[in-house]
Amino acid sequence: MAEKNTLGESLRRHGVSRRGFLKFCTATASLMALPPTMVPAIAEALEKAKRPSVIWLSFQECTGCTESLTRSHSPSVESLIFDHISLDYHHTLQAAAGEAAEAAREAAMHENKGKYILVVDGSIPLGDPGYSTIAGISNLEMLKETAKDAAAIVAVGTCAAFGGLPQANPNPTGAVSVSDIIKDKPIINVSGCPPIPTVITGVLAHFLTFGSIPDLDQYNRPKVFYGQSIHDRCYRRPFYDKGKFAETFDDEGAKAGWCLYKLGCKGPMTYNACATAKWNQGTSWPVESGHGCLGCSEPRFWDAGGFYNALSVPISDNSQTVAFAAAAGLALGAAAAGLNYKNKDEATKAHGTVTIDDLEKSS
Amino acid sequence: MNEPMDFLIWTRSTAFDVAVTIFVIGVILRLFEIISLGRKQNLAEAKGTEFGPGMRTIFSRSVPDLGTFRRQPLTVVTGYMFHIGLFISLIMFVPHIELFRATFGFGWPGLPTPIVDAAAVLALIGLLAGLWHRIMNPVMQKITTFEDWLVWTLTFLPILTGYLAYHRMVDPYPLILGLHVLSVEALMIAFPFTKLMHTFTVFLSRWYNGAMNGRRGVES
Amino acid sequence: MSEATLERGINALKEQIDAPVAAFFSSCVSCGMCAEACLFYTETGDPKYTPIYKLEPLRRVWESEYTLIGKIKKALGLHKPVTDEMLEEWQELLYDSCTMCARCSMICPVGNDIAYMVRKTREGMVASGNAPEGVKGASMRAVTIGSPMGVKLSALEAQIKHIEADTGLKIPMDAEGADYLVLLSSMEIMNFPEYLEGLAKIFKQAGISWTLCSTAFEATNSGIQIGSTDIARILVQRIVDGAERLKVKNVISPECGHAYTAIRWDGPNLIGRPFTFRVLHILELLDELRAAGKIKTKDLETDCYTFHDPCSLARKGGVIEGPRRLMNMVTTNFAEMKDHGKMNWCCGGGGGVSSNEDAEELRIKVFKKKKDQIEETGADVLVTACANCRLVIEEGLEEYKVELPVIGLSELIADHLVVDEAQAEEKG
């Protein structure tokens, strides 16, 4: 249940000092790419912010997004925020089950009507509601019902944001994203498979601080995290420009940390903060660990070509297309050649010998 | 919501298949069309050979006659700029090489991107200067047809979109990359049925010229 | 009753199109460089004289008959057909303003042999009755009288008598089994008898067995110029018959450009079988005699001499180095023109242009190119090896009021010939 006391009070009650709190505010400001002058404003806003009620709905998902959040390091911006929001419904994390759980959701919706934040992970099946239900309620119905009185919706993970893995070709469940269904609420897409935990909390912090949603890109992703591509922020970029590429995962180039483009890195088409925010307590991120970016924060990344094919390689089997076309070309070419041969032969046969009596136009 | 990525995926799959199919069928068909017309056996006693001089002319025609060059340097200079720029950016850019490798199973080393970038700029300037020349030059005015404008546009767009994509000047990237791929597909589809075919037939025509002259003992 | 119709013309074009033509049209990128190689464009600045533009009728037939896209266009009614009006308009472009000098074929960046295609397009022009009057007349005279200028055997016989009387040299006629059959052009018979005289002198010195042929003395071939294989075949057949009748080993093409093309390169293809004899241009023979040490020269000129390469000989015939070696036999001061050899500029009168009255004004105008080129060398004498070039240049220089003697290279060799070798060696 959402508490009446403020976030500041709650933090202090949990033993967070003023100094620690300001440190957190500074971190939040930097995360959101705000100038340091904004730190006092953030501190003030967060100090006074009421613990918001958060309802977390999980649809067709793998719990990876939740795992990502819960595995975040401590003490962290993430844990601070999550300790101090009122997570009123999250069927993986909550203790309650069955009717009690659903009752908690309904209560939260009722008590915080128009103020709660709805977090969704997983995509919604439109093919047959039976593909995914919670307490006998279809995902679609639950989403529509819960979204109705939400202040804002945060679609966490690529499944919720864009359809993700369930939507991948041939999309057996008819999976769609939150924004394919909900059109009348502000939706923040925090894409990634899974998304960076800091990014989720950063978005929530922004909402708490400013009471509004951050600047979004055309996919409704916060620009502050998704404004630049992996490629542009990649520390291996100089190798790309110099033309130095790893050809296999264990060659000299790979060991020397050269660009992974040829090994299928989708960094150029992928917008995310991995290169700067990193993973596992800032330890590393895929490219740093020697594997190309999969492009997981982009729509339809599962269908965007083999993970180990370069971005410039066509998605379909081009060798086969060329081979078939060449065979067809030979057949059609032979036909065209035959036609030309016949045509010319006819002309040769129709040749009327020109004599000096045939030099003037007839008529 | 997902349009740019859907578009990119479409250009990299269905559209690419269609374009490659038309391109490959078309080029082979056209070569058959040309070669099937044949060449009469030449009964005159030869003064020289055909094959060698033909091969020689394939290369030597890349170097213009000095006097003619002086009369119309812009045609030659813009032609060189464009073709060199195009070849470097087409076949020495690593992403393009990877496409060849995936298709034909072999590749070759690429050039650093700043060089490819400069080559693309060279090609763009060459094309723009060539366009200006085509508009201003009375001979070109006389012989230019709709096809020439079409072919110019279809050649210009892939280089332009490629340049914009490389420099990430259009947001989001999948959109401009998709436009780049699409413009190449348009080029490939038009290729066999327009004078873009000169890419291949220039070897035939230069060879024929060199061979016919070589037979008469003339270096052409 | 003439059979020339548009339909026949188009059919002739269809017949003429071969793989090189298709490759050439497929390769053209409309760069316009061919115009810069063509004196009809450079001297007039009129873009309609752009060589590739002259081929539009042939290109249209190729596109509609032999390409998929052309057939589709035709089916959709988008194809511009070749009409009789079009061919009439193109007469000026294909005859008056083209000497088939093939300079454009030398510079085309994609390697298009434009002159080769002009020659082919003329087949369609002839078959559709669109050849110019002057060229038609020449063809008719060539077929009926035996010479485009109407020169008969009697005229040649008169010249022979004249020369024999003047020089005491013997001019053999119909000598069976001779090594060399000498052909002449009408112009040489009528305007430059010194050629035959010079030959007689040289051959006597070199100890060559040669002859003229009463049934085949005319080397020129109007059929090649008008662009009719059928007419060209009739004319070449006469030479072949004459040469085979006399059982000669070699046939010597005279100082005439297109005659060389006609006999040397087109001849066997016209009659459909290889020749039983060798064909040489007189300059090739003289160069062979020079190399064999059979002819020597003396009293070399010190004035500046320059050489005009006849297109058919140099660019289209590969006779390039020989004439230079021969030039150095007659002058110590040989100056090359800036563009020479295979890149030489045409005199403007080849390919039937000189017998085409419609082209006269244009021909004089574009002769400026040659005039400038000659003047640039500062030469005192111009030498060439084609009677047609020689006449056209003489006339052109006169129009431009330039005083400059124009001489044939063979007669120049004859003039400087060391007649008695023993004497010459004593002096030397």
Side-chain angles (χ1 to χ4, degrees):
Chain A
M1 291 292 117
E3 289 173 26
K4 296 283 177 276
N5 53 358
T6 65
L7 186 61
E9 286 161 8
S10 168
L11 287 168
R12 273 188 292 283
R13 217 173 59 212
H14 282 79
V16 175
S17 65
R18 175 77 188 160
R19 186 184 165 80
F21 177 64
L22 282 176
K23 223 173 133 186
F24 161 66
C25 293
T26 308
T28 306
S30 100
L31 190 66
M32 296 190 291
L34 296 170
T37 48
M38 287 299 285
V39 172
I42 294 169
E44 197 186 340
L46 286 181
E47 181 75 43
K48 288 181 187 157
K50 289 267 171 28
R51 291 186 69 201
S53 168
V54 173
I55 296 173
W56 186 302
L57 301 178
S58 299
F59 297 143
Q60 294 192 127
E61 48 86 47
C62 68
T63 317
C65 298
T66 302
E67 290 286 344
S68 169
L69 275 169
T70 55
R71 297 294 160 86
S72 59
H73 38 95
S74 174
S76 71
V77 174
E78 300 81 53
S79 66
L80 280 168
I81 285 293
F82 276 90
D83 282 347
H84 307 295
I85 58 169
S86 177
L87 190 54
D88 292 328
Y89 179 87
H90 187 305
H91 69 215
T92 309
L93 300 178
Q94 71 198 134
E99 305 230 325
E102 293 313 305
R105 179 173 66 88
E106 275 157 29
M109 284 166 60
H110 183 72
E111 280 170 35
N112 302 292
K113 190 171 177 177
K115 284 184 254 171
Y116 61 89
I117 298 171
L118 172 60
V119 179
V120 180
D121 69 337
S123 62
I124 301 96
L126 294 184
D128 180 338
Y131 282 128
S132 176
T133 61
I134 298 161
I137 305 166
S138 77
N139 289 172
L140 178 65
E141 196 184 323
M142 186 178 280
L143 174 64
K144 279 184 172 167
E145 185 190 313
T146 318
K148 206 174 132 218
D149 293 318
I153 301 172
V154 182
V156 168
T158 300
C159 297
F162 305 129
L165 174 61
Q167 198 192 46
N169 195 26
N171 189 7
T173 65
V176 296
S177 68
V178 173
S179 50
D180 285 332
I181 295 164
I182 307 299
K183 305 286 184 193
D184 57 349
K185 293 282 173 191
I187 297 174
I188 306 162
N189 285 330
V190 182
S191 62
C193 190
I196 303 168
T198 326
V199 174
I200 305 175
T201 51
V203 169
L204 292 175
H206 187 284
F207 187 77
L208 293 178
T209 311
F210 302 107
S212 65
I213 57 173
D215 269 357
L216 302 177
D217 71 3
Q218 64 151 354
Y219 290 137
N220 284 347
R221 298 179 299 198
K223 274 186 186 161
V224 77
F225 303 111
Y226 296 92
Q228 272 184 293
S229 70
I230 296 290
H231 188 60
D232 284 340
R233 293 201 271 200
C234 181
Y235 76 104
R236 296 196 189 203
R237 175 65 184 272
F239 293 115
Y240 174 86
D241 289 329
K242 280 185 207 145
K244 293 191 179 299
F245 296 88
E247 305 281 340
T248 61
F249 283 110
D250 57 355
D251 69 357
E252 288 308 310
K255 284 171 192 158
W258 290 354
C259 178
L260 299 165
Y261 183 92
K262 289 185 179 180
L263 292 170
C265 179
K266 302 294 184 292
M269 66 161 213
T270 308
Y271 291 81
N272 208 340
C274 300
T276 42
K278 300 198 182 179
W279 292 77
N280 298 330
Q281 306 180 30
T283 307
S284 183
W285 60 293
V287 169
E288 195 175 342
S289 307
H291 192 288
C293 168
L294 300 182
C296 76
S297 58
E298 295 305 308
R300 295 191 62 190
F301 81 101
W302 284 98
D303 294 330
F307 287 159
Y308 301 101
N309 286 342
L311 179 55
S312 59
V313 172
I315 292 167
S316 30
D317 184 349
N318 204 40
S319 312
Q320 204 182 50
T321 313
V322 169
F324 282 147
L330 288 174
L332 291 169
L339 218 59
N340 274 2
Y341 186 84
K342 182 172 153 269
N343 210 358
K344 190 171 169 179
D345 192 49
E346 278 169 10
T348 309
K349 282 181 184 144
H351 176 87
T353 304
V354 174
T355 71
I356 50 165
D357 299 324
D358 300 315
L359 297 179
E360 298 300 330
K361 284 184 198 181
S362 68
S363 71
Chain B
M1 226 6 146
N2 300 354
E3 293 96 356
M5 191 56 82
D6 287 337
F7 171 61
L8 176 61
I9 290 173
W10 177 73
T11 60
R12 291 176 61 212
S13 54
T14 314
F16 204 82
D17 292 344
V18 170
V20 164
T21 305
I22 293 175
F23 175 80
V24 172
I25 291 179
V27 167
I28 295 175
L29 180 98
R30 283 298 315 282
L31 292 176
F32 267 78
E33 266 179 1
I34 293 166
I35 294 165
S36 65
L37 288 167
R39 201 158 62 107
K40 268 199 187 134
Q41 189 199 353
N42 196 335
L43 300 167
E45 185 198 350
K47 211 182 260 187
T49 55
E50 288 201 337
F51 184 76
M55 295 309 283
R56 190 188 161 277
T57 299
I58 288 179
F59 295 98
S60 66
R61 273 304 157 98
S62 300
V63 182
D65 159 63
L66 197 62
T68 321
F69 168 71
R70 288 211 183 98
R71 285 193 54 86
Q72 204 51 266
L74 199 57
T75 304
V76 177
V77 171
T78 57
Y80 263 97
M81 284 172 73
F82 159 67
H83 282 101
I84 292 172
L86 178 74
F87 285 138
I88 293 177
S89 32
L90 176 66
I91 63 175
M92 296 313 280
F93 187 46
V94 168
H96 299 163
I97 299 170
E98 289 308 295
L99 168 56
F100 287 106
R101 193 197 304 279
T103 308
F104 300 108
F106 65 94
W108 52 88
L111 284 174
T113 52
I115 298 175
V116 176
D117 187 33
V121 173
L122 190 74
L124 288 173
I125 296 173
L127 274 176
L128 286 169
L131 179 70
W132 179 81
H133 193 208
R134 191 168 283 285
I135 294 167
M136 304 305 289
N137 179 286
V139 168
M140 286 167 120
Q141 279 172 5
K142 184 79 185 172
I143 57 178
T144 297
T145 59
F146 169 74
E147 191 183 318
D148 292 293
W149 304 120
L150 176 75
V151 161
W152 185 91
T153 310
L154 290 175
T155 313
F156 185 74
L157 287 179
I159 309 176
L160 178 71
T161 52
Y163 181 83
L164 293 175
Y166 171 70
H167 287 279
R168 314 184 74 84
M169 286 159 111
V170 174
D171 200 38
Y173 181 75
L175 174 67
I176 189 65
L177 184 61
L179 286 172
H180 175 60
V181 179
L182 184 68
S183 64
V184 172
E185 285 156 1
L187 181 80
M188 286 201 288
I189 290 170
F191 190 101
F193 311 108
T194 56
K195 49 191 61 178
L196 289 165
M197 261 309 274
H198 81 275
T199 312
F200 295 112
T201 60
V202 72
F203 296 102
L204 283 177
S205 54
R206 282 184 181 180
W207 186 85
Y208 281 134
N209 189 311
M212 292 192 290
N213 278 296
R215 197 168 207 285
R216 296 193 300 258
V218 183
E219 269 194 3
S220 76
Chain C
M1 179 64 202
S2 174
E3 297 284 339
T5 56
L6 176 65
E7 193 193 346
R8 253 176 86 142
I10 291 174
N11 191 69
L13 295 178
K14 269 175 77 174
E15 255 182 283
Q16 286 297 319
I17 292 164
D18 57 6
V21 170
F24 295 155
F25 282 132
S26 300
S27 297
C28 177
V29 291
S30 312
C31 74
M33 282 303 265
C34 49
E36 309 300 338
C38 176
L39 75 167
F40 289 92
Y41 170 72
T42 63
E43 299 316 299
T44 62
D46 191 333
K48 74 179 174 184
Y49 296 133
T50 303
I52 195 73
Y53 183 69
K54 297 170 184 172
L55 298 171
E56 184 61 12
L58 186 67
R59 196 198 65 78
R60 284 191 191 175
V61 171
W62 162 73
E63 191 189 59
S64 66
E65 298 294 332
Y66 295 122
T67 71
L68 177 67
I69 199 82
K71 285 172 198 161
I72 294 171
K73 268 185 174 174
K74 202 171 163 184
L76 295 174
L78 297 170
H79 173 71
K80 280 189 209 150
V82 172
T83 62
D84 202 47
E85 291 70 38
M86 179 191 188
L87 294 182
E88 266 171 32
E89 192 188 332
W90 252 258
Q91 188 190 89
E92 186 207 352
L93 304 182
L94 284 161
Y95 288 96
D96 303 10
S97 63
C98 180
T99 61
M100 300 196 285
C101 81
R103 206 169 179 276
C104 49
S105 304
M106 264 310 141
I107 67 92
C108 172
V110 295
N112 289 354
D113 193 339
I114 297 171
Y116 175 80
M117 294 194 278
V118 168
R119 168 66 186 79
K120 284 175 172 290
T121 311
R122 284 188 183 184
E123 292 278 342
M125 296 297 277
V126 174
S128 64
N130 281 298
E133 290 309 318
V135 189
K136 283 182 196 167
S139 289
M140 285 191 232
R141 284 187 297 277
V143 173
T144 54
I145 305 171
S147 140
M149 290 169 77
V151 177
K152 291 182 180 166
L153 179 61
S154 53
L156 174 61
E157 282 167 343
Q159 281 289 14
I160 291 172
K161 255 182 216 162
H162 216 81
I163 295 166
E164 286 182 334
D166 274 3
T167 61
L169 292 163
K170 177 87 182 85
I171 311 246
M173 175 68 84
D174 289 334
E176 212 178 290
D179 283 344
Y180 294 89
L181 168 64
V182 167
L183 303 176
L184 298 165
S185 69
S186 301
M187 283 184 203
E188 282 159 338
I189 301 168
M190 299 313 292
N191 304 45
F192 310 116
E194 51 271 35
Y195 170 74
L196 185 55
E197 185 185 327
L199 242 52
K201 188 178 166 190
I202 294 166
F203 288 169
K204 187 180 176 215
Q205 173 63 27
I208 277 182
S209 91
W210 66 290
T211 184
L212 289 174
C213 174
S214 58
T215 54
F217 57 86
E218 176 62 63
T220 64
N221 193 319
S222 300
I224 295 294
Q225 297 187 318
I226 197 171
S228 170
T229 302
D230 295 333
I231 293 174
R233 184 180 301 116
I234 296 170
L235 301 175
V236 159
Q237 191 65 53
R238 289 177 183 167
I239 295 168
V240 176
D241 291 345
E244 290 179 349
R245 178 168 63 83
L246 297 177
K247 302 186 181 65
V248 296
K249 295 192 187 76
N250 303 278
V251 169
I252 305 302
S253 174
E255 288 200 350
C256 171
H258 87 270
Y260 184 64
T261 297
I263 310 163
R264 176 70 178 85
W265 304 115
D266 290 359
N269 298 313
L270 289 168
I271 65 162
R273 62 175 169 89
F275 285 166
T276 53
F277 47 85
R278 197 164 70 118
V279 177
L280 286 167
H281 188 265
I282 180 63
L283 291 193
E284 290 180 293
L285 175 60
L286 294 180
D287 193 41
E288 282 182 6
L289 296 176
R290 177 203 58 80
K294 288 188 177 171
I295 53 169
K296 292 200 164 63
T297 53
K298 61 177 180 182
D299 304 334
L300 267 58
E301 304 286 340
T302 48
D303 283 356
C304 184
Y305 278 53
T306 189
F307 183 71
H308 163 75
D309 285 286
C311 307
S312 290
L313 211 52
R315 186 157 41 241
K316 295 166 83 175
V319 183
I320 298 172
E321 292 311 316
R324 275 143 186 91
R325 290 189 286 264
L326 296 173
M327 281 301 290
N328 287 323
M329 286 179 79
V330 296
T331 176
T332 54
N333 190 3
F334 171 50
E336 285 281 18
M337 291 185 204
K338 209 164 142 203
D339 286 319
H340 61 266
K342 65 175 191 180
M343 290 313 292
N344 188 42
W345 288 91
C346 181
C347 66
V353 172
S354 62
S355 53
N356 176 359
E357 294 89 354
D358 304 346
E360 206 167 306
E361 199 182 323
L362 185 62
R363 171 166 63 83
I364 297 297
K365 189 173 182 189
V366 302
F367 179 75
K368 188 172 177 297
K369 189 84 212 177
K370 195 76 236 173
K371 187 214 77 170
D372 291 347
Q373 222 196 344
I374 297 167
E375 283 185 330
E376 217 180 39
T377 62
D380 305 303
V381 178
L382 177 76
V383 184
T384 188
C386 167
N388 187 49
C389 294
R390 191 170 169 181
L391 263 185
V392 167
I393 292 172
E394 277 178 353
E395 197 184 322
L397 289 175
E398 200 179 309
E399 286 282 340
Y400 282 92
K401 305 200 164 37
V402 179
E403 296 261 351
L404 192 79
V406 183
I407 311 175
L409 182 49
S410 305
E411 67 184 80
L412 207 54
I413 294 281
D415 286 349
H416 293 79
L417 193 71
V418 178
V419 176
D420 185 355
E421 199 148 80
Q423 256 180 13
E425 270 165 2
E426 263 171 43
K427 273 182 196 170

